[in-house]
Amino acid sequence: MVIFIPIKKQSERVPHKNFRTLNKVPLWERCIKKLNKYKVYIDTDSDEIIQNCAKYNYVTCYKRDKKLEGHKTSVIDLIKFFIKKFDVKQPICQVHVTSPFLEIKHINDSFNILLNTDHDSVFSVT
């Protein structure tokens, strides 16, 4: 399984939401540190995130295609681009950096459901 994280530099509704800090650590970085047992792919329009991700050897961070920048782009289009760019064949878990209390147990449980049932996708909400 791979982790896919789309991170925009700007948000329409909540200014700088992905860069807000929790205990002095930006949300996007807090998320990445937690996912260190997985192969993580980050799709972003932020040069700052690209530069800072270089220190994480389990993270592949790439610049979002210009055609997919902006507030009207669907995350489905980002996922399609990601799958094509990296020829992804295994299950994908999409994570939002604005969920800082997500536990790895939730990701592992979801993956186990996916592998051990006839389901082709798993989705969680609260």
Side-chain angles (χ1 to χ4, degrees):
M1 177 173 60
V2 297
I3 306 290
F4 175 74
I5 308 173
I7 308 175
K8 270 195 298 193
K9 186 172 20 180
Q10 295 296 330
S11 170
E12 279 185 309
R13 294 172 301 200
V14 181
H16 308 293
K17 75 177 179 182
N18 296 319
F19 294 85
R20 293 201 173 187
T21 60
L22 182 61
N23 199 20
K24 301 180 183 178
V25 178
L27 289 178
W28 71 266
E29 193 162 11
R30 176 174 291 285
C31 177
I32 290 167
K33 287 178 178 180
K34 191 181 288 190
L35 298 168
N36 63 3
K37 301 289 187 227
Y38 296 99
K39 180 64 180 156
V40 177
Y41 291 86
I42 297 174
D43 173 295
T44 187
D45 59 355
S46 168
D47 291 330
E48 177 184 343
I49 290 175
I50 291 170
Q51 290 170 353
N52 284 302
C53 280
K55 62 187 170 190
Y56 300 106
N57 64 354
Y58 53 94
V59 174
T60 299
C61 188
Y62 61 94
K63 188 79 168 196
R64 181 168 295 169
D65 188 272
K66 285 278 185 206
K67 299 179 298 211
L68 298 172
E69 288 183 359
H71 301 297
K72 295 189 180 188
T73 299
S74 162
V75 77
I76 296 298
D77 291 332
L78 297 176
I79 293 170
K80 286 178 183 178
F81 182 83
F82 161 66
I83 290 170
K84 192 173 184 181
K85 179 177 179 70
F86 293 98
D87 194 30
V88 177
K89 303 280 191 237
Q90 65 260 49
I92 300 167
C93 175
Q94 183 204 338
V95 175
H96 296 276
V97 298
T98 51
S99 298
F101 303 111
L102 174 72
E103 296 177 26
I104 295 303
K105 176 188 180 326
H106 299 139
I107 294 172
N108 290 336
D109 288 350
S110 298
F111 186 55
N112 284 330
I113 289 169
L114 190 62
L115 287 179
N116 297 309
T117 67
D118 291 335
H119 301 299
D120 64 358
S121 58
V122 179
F123 187 84
S124 66
V125 295
T126 54

